[in-house]
Amino acid sequence: MSSVLFVCLGNICRSPMAEAVFRHLVSEAGRSEEITIDSAGIGSWHAGEPPHIGTRTVLRENGIAHDSLVCRQITAADFAKFDYVVCMDEENLAALKRIAPAGKTIYRLLDFAPETGEQNIEDPYYTKRFDHVYSLVQAGCRGLLRELG
Ligand code: 4NP
């Protein structure tokens, strides 16, 4: 058994996209029973809302379900509950390190996709490049699934 929590700033663009993509890949691999998957935001501004229309659109275009996704804020309990806390960029990483228990490793999704040559996934809430973000999220999620063996 393992567990993965994807985290971004708002939990309406990048981390719900990663949750949906990873859920899809894990299901295709027949491993849904073994891997717990969720996402959360550092901020609470959008709690209770569905993902951003840009994220819903790119997921729908790629045949990936997103109906069950509801925005929530990360809690202290999440650091104990999830083996892998996986964020999107260096700002998320710095914010999470401030609130995580000492010794907890925090990952960035592109740690698992060195072939992209990138470390951070830009925020499409501002850049609007949802297709570009989707391709990076796909690469990271594929690498993460390999990491989980
Ligand atoms: P996300 O994008 O972190 O990828 O979900 C954002 C969504 C909302 C806000 C910032 C980033 N916001 O400031 O409301």
Side-chain angles (χ1 to χ4, degrees):
M1 291 295 295
S2 57
S3 51
V4 178
L5 181 70
F6 295 102
V7 182
C8 62
L9 182 57
N11 192 217
I12 56 166
C13 298
R14 293 165 294 176
S15 62
M17 190 189 295
E19 178 184 345
V21 166
F22 196 59
R23 224 178 255 296
H24 187 88
L25 293 174
V26 165
S27 171
E28 275 184 345
R31 299 182 60 188
S32 300
E33 301 298 311
E34 300 166 43
I35 305 174
T36 300
I37 307 163
D38 198 0
S39 68
I42 291 161
S44 63
W45 313 286
H46 298 281
E49 294 178 17
H52 190 283
I53 182 68
T55 286
R56 284 185 277 142
T57 300
V58 77
L59 290 172
R60 192 182 62 245
E61 286 170 353
N62 287 279
I64 295 175
H66 58 73
D67 293 345
S68 64
L69 299 171
V70 180
C71 175
R72 73 171 180 92
Q73 188 174 28
I74 193 167
T75 68
D78 287 321
F79 293 103
K81 180 173 176 193
F82 291 94
D83 306 320
Y84 287 83
V85 175
V86 183
C87 70
M88 302 296 143
D89 63 27
E90 60 200 356
E91 285 181 32
N92 301 161
L93 186 63
L96 289 170
K97 281 182 174 172
R98 283 196 291 274
I99 59 172
K104 179 74 180 178
T105 302
I106 310 292
Y107 300 91
R108 277 182 287 185
L109 186 53
L110 295 183
D111 291 344
F112 305 105
E115 73 279 6
T116 62
E118 311 237 13
Q119 293 183 301
N120 298 307
I121 300 183
E122 67 182 40
D123 195 339
Y125 189 73
Y126 301 109
T127 70
K128 308 296 177 203
R129 301 201 309 161
F130 283 89
D131 289 332
H132 175 63
V133 165
Y134 177 80
S135 67
L136 292 175
V137 164
Q138 268 284 350
C141 285
R142 287 178 188 277
L144 177 56
L145 189 56
R146 279 194 300 276
E147 160 90 10
L148 295 183

